[in-house]
Amino acid sequence: LSNGNYPLKVAEYFGDVFDGIKTLCFQDGGRVAVGHVGKCGEEVPWDQPLVLEGAIEVYLAALEAHVRTMLREMLEAARSTADNWEMDKVRESWLEDYCAQLALLACQIVWTEETARAFEDVEAGSETAMRDSLRVIDERIRRLVAKVQGRLDATHRAKII
């Protein structure tokens, strides 16, 4: 706490305070946070910067609220763009636009919705709903495997796997 007025010095301990954050990305001499680095080393830029000023307990509380807001907004964007995987951008390219955890969460949401829809279709009398759903899932997995077998940097490869 004695270094509380120096966010750059405090930043090395963020991994002990926040579960998924290793450190922050700074601007303006360490007073403005513009993103964070996850414990896996992935950089997650924010749409809105956060000025770290005042007492450490004040800016840490503000940081926690800000990270939640930024991640929520990124998840909403990821989820809304996931609806257009096959039309606007294929899934394996879409992954590059979002941090790993949010991409995974958005994929799980989409999978759950598509699976629920397939069950509803079966209940409505469709005999091929599950096979059709499985065909789509298999094709997505096939394309992800093909992407992993290509040239990727370590961070992106880990994100896909």
Side-chain angles (χ1 to χ4, degrees), residues 68-137:
R68 284 182 179 170
T69 300
M70 293 295 97
L71 292 177
R72 185 180 309 113
E73 289 175 6
M74 285 184 244
L75 177 59
E76 289 170 1
R79 176 61 194 94
S80 68
T81 57
D83 285 333
N84 300 320
W85 274 341
E86 306 311 322
M87 293 172 277
D88 293 341
K89 195 177 233 186
V90 293
R91 180 180 180 209
E92 57 272 18
S93 296
W94 169 90
L95 286 169
E96 297 169 11
D97 297 341
Y98 301 98
C99 66
Q101 290 297 314
L102 296 181
L104 175 63
L105 182 54
C107 288
Q108 289 175 330
I109 291 168
V110 169
W111 178 85
T112 301
E113 290 173 348
E114 289 175 346
T115 303
R117 196 172 312 116
F119 277 111
E120 290 169 2
D121 291 347
V122 167
E123 287 178 359
S126 173
E127 294 182 12
T128 63
M130 284 298 171
R131 277 189 297 261
D132 294 342
S133 180
L134 179 60
R135 198 173 302 118
V136 168
I137 292 167

Side-chain angles (χ1 to χ4, degrees), residues 23-38:
T23 190
L24 297 179
C25 302
F26 290 101
Q27 282 184 346
D28 295 333
R31 291 281 179 200
V32 178
V34 294
H36 69 270
V37 178

Side-chain angles (χ1 to χ4, degrees), residues 2-53:
S2 64
N3 288 316
N5 291 331
Y6 306 101
L8 277 173
K9 288 186 179 182
V10 175
E12 66 184 87
Y13 300 103
F14 283 154
D16 298 331
V17 178
F18 297 103
D19 191 34
I21 297 176
K22 181 178 180 180
T23 190
L24 297 179
C25 302
F26 290 101
Q27 282 184 346
D28 295 333
R31 291 281 179 200
V32 178
V34 294
H36 69 270
V37 178
K39 292 205 173 168
C40 63
E42 183 178 27
E43 288 189 23
V44 181
W46 301 333
D47 287 339
Q48 301 167 3
L50 175 67
V51 177
L52 303 173
E53 60 187 4

